[in-house]
Amino acid sequence: MKLIKVEHAYKIYKNGTTAIADLSVTIDKGEFVFVIGSTGSGKSTFIKMLYREEKPTRGKVIVGGIDVAKLRNSKVYKLRRKLGVVFQDFKLLPKLNVYENVAFALETLGLPNNEIRPKVLRAIEAVGLKEKTRNLPSELSGGEQQRVAIARALANDPKLLICDEPTGNLDPDTSKEIMKILDSINRTMGTTIIMATHDKDLVNRMKKRVLVIEDGVLASDVKKGSYKVHESVKDSK
Amino acid sequence: MKALRILSRSIRDSFKSVFRNFSLSIASILCTTITLILVAVAIFLSYNVHEVTTTLEHELTIVVYYKQDVTDEQKIELENALKTMDNVDSYETKSKDEWKAEMQKESDTLKTTLDYLEENPLLDSVIVTVKNVSDLSETANRIREFDFVSSAEYGEGMVENVIGIFDAISWGTFGMVIALVLVTAFLISNTIKLTIFSRKTEIEIMRLVGASNSAIKLPFIFEGFILGVFGSIIPILISIYGYVLLYNKTGGYVFTKIITLVEPFPFVIILALILLLIGSLVGMFGSWRAVRKYLKI
């Protein structure tokens, strides 16, 4: 079943730069997809269009049945509730502890306390931070902080988890740990994961679907792909 | 229920934010306090001036003197004319004999003088009370048109001057209140702007997890409201206790018995409610302005 359907999508910025040009792709429910490409390739714009941080100039971007291009600013929250987003810089609130950081997302949505507690604890457990619920972000390592961010993204049981270079600030061992967690979430919860990354080793090791975006177009789409695809695309230019 | 939870969360967050940005909040609260104290003084002045004007309006009369040779028919003619004049509230006739008796009672010298004279030199008169003091001169002029009227006087010049001064005071204070309200709204707006900047990550996360626009904006609007309400507490206390004290100390009169103060109750209660309303509205307006300008969702 299709969770994401992108049809002839374009993103042209006001200064005339074409970030995405005629991009079409579909992603099924439960898939784990890497999005790779060099800096300025349009990879981030593509990711941002999925959670409507950027609006496509033309074409269709349908996420979970919602047409992102037609979504008004005041209704964006409806899309965001269906997905979770994880960033390179974690975006945690420094004065809140692990539990509060995860609960913050659900409190914002107006969920009652008796629903928030089990959801938060489940999400924290899924990322293996049960022992550190009362710790502040400053008392955690980079990997642990990213795990908190993942827990927060997962707390509301999203169908889709969008990760924008989540291992960009982490050392190789910690990156592996994060990937293990994401893989487990994908397998056990069935959450669709789309991850933009530059990490060659991770992509090669995971053997997942790889979308290569170069100069705003989808240069290749390979099941169980690797970073080699990306390099061959670059070499052929 | 969900909306209620979001509302209570917004209020909780607003209070937290007021204390988190304590120095800024104190600055806004102090500014609101100073403004509202001046607003209270302005309202106090203009309301009391209004009261004095109204009192004057009720007390000011036109004293009409007939000529010596006036006939009874002519007197009736004027009285009938007064009945048809819109601005005439009431009138009272006072004969020259009544004037004489009154004067003789007031002073011994006058009594001796008047007793000495064979004929009463005073004139028959009518005392006219008007409805609207600003049309006083027009009414007096209409009365003067009658041939048998010797004079129609009301202290011309002085009355117009007093009313002019009172009007100027009212407009001046009104202008001052508007200017101060705007300054306060601007300062609160600035405080909320800084709050928005300091809570940038929080707002970003709220947007990402799917908080609705109103859920993101509400805490800031409430924060402005709280700053406005906190800022109005001291002015309200000063107004209530200060005015009651002033009233009791002066016995309700300022300088002369003509200028009387309004009774403290319910005036101070209404004044307190007005201050609270202005404080909270200015606070909300300031934060709304900042949210609209700086909170891009």
Side-chain angles (χ1 to χ4, degrees), chain A residues 51 53 73-74 77 80-81 83 85 87 91-93 95 101 104-105 107-113 152, chain B residues 1-2 5-6 9 12-13 16 20 201-213 215-216 297:
Chain A
Y51 61 93
E53 191 63 18
N73 280 352
S74 58
Y77 72 92
R80 302 261 170 94
R81 284 179 190 186
L83 48 89
V85 193
F87 297 95
K91 296 194 195 299
L92 298 179
L93 297 171
K95 286 180 185 170
N101 258 292
F104 176 79
E107 280 175 8
T108 302
L109 302 178
L111 263 68
N113 279 337
R152 184 181 60 202
Chain B
M1 274 310 281
K2 195 173 166 185
R5 276 195 297 271
I6 289 176
R9 190 183 167 276
R12 189 195 70 191
D13 281 1
K16 269 190 193 169
R20 203 186 289 162
T201 320
E202 212 169 307
I203 294 165
E204 204 180 343
I205 297 165
M206 286 172 93
R207 288 177 58 229
L208 283 171
V209 298
S212 62
N213 290 357
I216 297 173
I297 299 177

Side-chain angles (χ1 to χ4, degrees), chain B residues 136-189:
Chain B
L136 200 62
S137 67
E138 195 201 320
T139 312
N141 285 338
R142 283 183 67 186
I143 296 170
R144 282 181 195 129
E145 283 169 11
F146 292 92
D147 295 338
F148 49 83
V149 167
S150 162
S151 68
E153 311 219 334
Y154 58 91
E156 285 139 298
M158 191 274 277
V159 176
E160 275 98 350
N161 283 341
V162 170
I163 289 168
I165 290 166
F166 285 176
D167 262 358
I169 293 174
S170 293
W171 281 108
T173 47
F174 181 70
M176 190 173 81
V177 166
I178 296 290
L180 286 169
V181 161
L182 287 176
V183 169
T184 309
F186 177 75
L187 267 156
I188 288 181
S189 169

Side-chain angles (χ1 to χ4, degrees), chain A residues 34-54:
Chain A
F34 283 114
V35 181
I36 59 173
S38 13
T39 309
S41 60
K43 170 184 72 199
S44 280
T45 306
F46 170 67
I47 290 280
K48 281 179 181 170
M49 283 202 299
L50 297 180
Y51 61 93
R52 185 39 172 78
E53 191 63 18
E54 293 290 353

Side-chain angles (χ1 to χ4, degrees), chain A residues 92-155:
Chain A
L92 298 179
L93 297 171
K95 286 180 185 170
L96 303 186
N97 64 32
V98 170
Y99 180 91
E100 289 163 339
N101 258 292
V102 179
F104 176 79
L106 301 175
E107 280 175 8
T108 302
L109 302 178
L111 263 68
N113 279 337
N114 58 353
E115 264 183 55
I116 292 176
R117 201 174 159 72
K119 280 187 178 225
V120 172
L121 292 176
R122 205 184 315 136
I124 292 176
E125 211 176 331
V127 297
L129 281 177
K130 209 177 160 187
E131 309 303 319
K132 301 208 166 173
T133 43
R134 299 288 155 208
N135 287 48
L136 289 171
S138 56
E139 296 161 352
L140 303 174
S141 68
E144 286 170 332
Q145 289 189 45
Q146 191 57 293
R147 283 197 264 164
V148 179
I150 295 170
R152 184 181 60 202
L154 283 179

Side-chain angles (χ1 to χ4, degrees), chain A residues 66-80:
Chain A
I66 298 174
D67 191 345
V68 171
K70 287 182 183 163
L71 199 60
R72 277 189 296 161
N73 280 352
S74 58
K75 300 286 175 209
V76 169
Y77 72 92
K78 288 187 173 175
L79 170 77
R80 302 261 170 94

